[in-house]
Amino acid sequence: MLVRAKLPPVAVDAVLTAALLFATAGLAHRDLSRSTSLVVFQWLLLIPLVWRRRAPLAVFGAMAAVAFLQWLAGAPLPADVALLIALYTVAAHSSRLRTLSAVGVLELGALLASLTWATHGRTTQSFIALSAMVIAAAVTGVNVRTRRAYLAALEDRAGRLERERDQQAQLAVAGERARIAREMHDIVTHNLSVMVALADGAVFAQERHPEKAAAAMRQVSGTGRQAITDMRRFLGVLRADEPDALRHPMPGIAQLEPLAEQVRAAGLPTRLSVSGNPAAATAAAQLTVYRLVQEALTNTLKHAPAGTRAEVRVRCSPDSVRVDITDDGPAAPATADPSPTASGHGIPGMRERAAAYGGQLDAGPQPDGGWRVSAVLTLNPPQDGDGAL
């Protein structure tokens, strides 16, 4: 497996400087061999390139000062090409103002060099050629800086999108956990409450009415099996060959009567009234109606005193479903706080279910005693722009 070793910038610039020293020394061999001062200028023009990326403007300024002394000495050298590299570095790593300043300094140098060293009658052509090289170096540096900034912006945007994606995933997970918690609460709490009530009744009836105790325990067994089936179905692990799958379809308005029978068996007389056509409601809306009724009856079963009666009214229309669950208990249960800040998943969970269909849920004590839960589910919410002129 090949591993690409990445050299540090200083090492790369040192190699570039050495290559330029070798190349320009070969081009100016005759001049350098006649004058020691030219050798000094040669090194002073090229050595600063080693630190060009650490301090672009300082390196350019030092090289420009050396080039000015070289002009005063009247000794042109091929090493002057290093000034273009320094200008490129300033344009690639510094601001636009500093780049323009460096271009102005180098243009002045090009003018002085053309006036001093250009052959007779070719001063203008020399200045134009040198200016073209200056502009090319500056434009190349600016393009590199712009591309680097663009890539950095893309990386930053990709990072932000990745963070937002992770946040959305976390929110989705949290929402799914809340939904699972609501469903598990409705399934487990209701069935356990019914089972506890049936078991208590069986204990009291086992001596005088053993047949009623046996019937109650059979009801406990059936309720437990139904709870297990509901949990398996909800968690998506119910096998196709599960025999109870056909006996326990997804709860809906049609299953409200078996639910009422179940709470009646547990000791809560319940009257059910369904009007309208339930088929207008989707399976999800019917499941919501079922869970609202189930939770309300479970609360009554747990908190209302003996002798309390409950009534469930479901009215279906093409556009909405209205659900009313009332009981005639003597007082509001102290533990069934309907406020949104109440602990647990009961009333707050019912509010969330109703809100999913654009409705509101009202829960509270009735003026004449007892408790009332009322909700309206909107089946066909108005579309954006409906009714607009």
Side-chain angles (χ1 to χ4, degrees), residues 14 55 63 84 120 137-138 144 184 198 204 263 293 337 350 380:
M63 294 174 64
L84 297 176
H120 182 69
V144 168
M184 289 298 99
L198 289 170
F204 286 111
V263 295
V293 175
D337 183 2
M350 296 168 71
N380 299 314

Side-chain angles (χ1 to χ4, degrees), residues 17-35:
T17 301
L20 287 174
L21 278 171
F22 179 78
T24 56
L27 293 174
H29 175 69
R30 294 181 180 180
D31 295 333
L32 294 176
S33 61
R34 291 198 304 265
S35 174

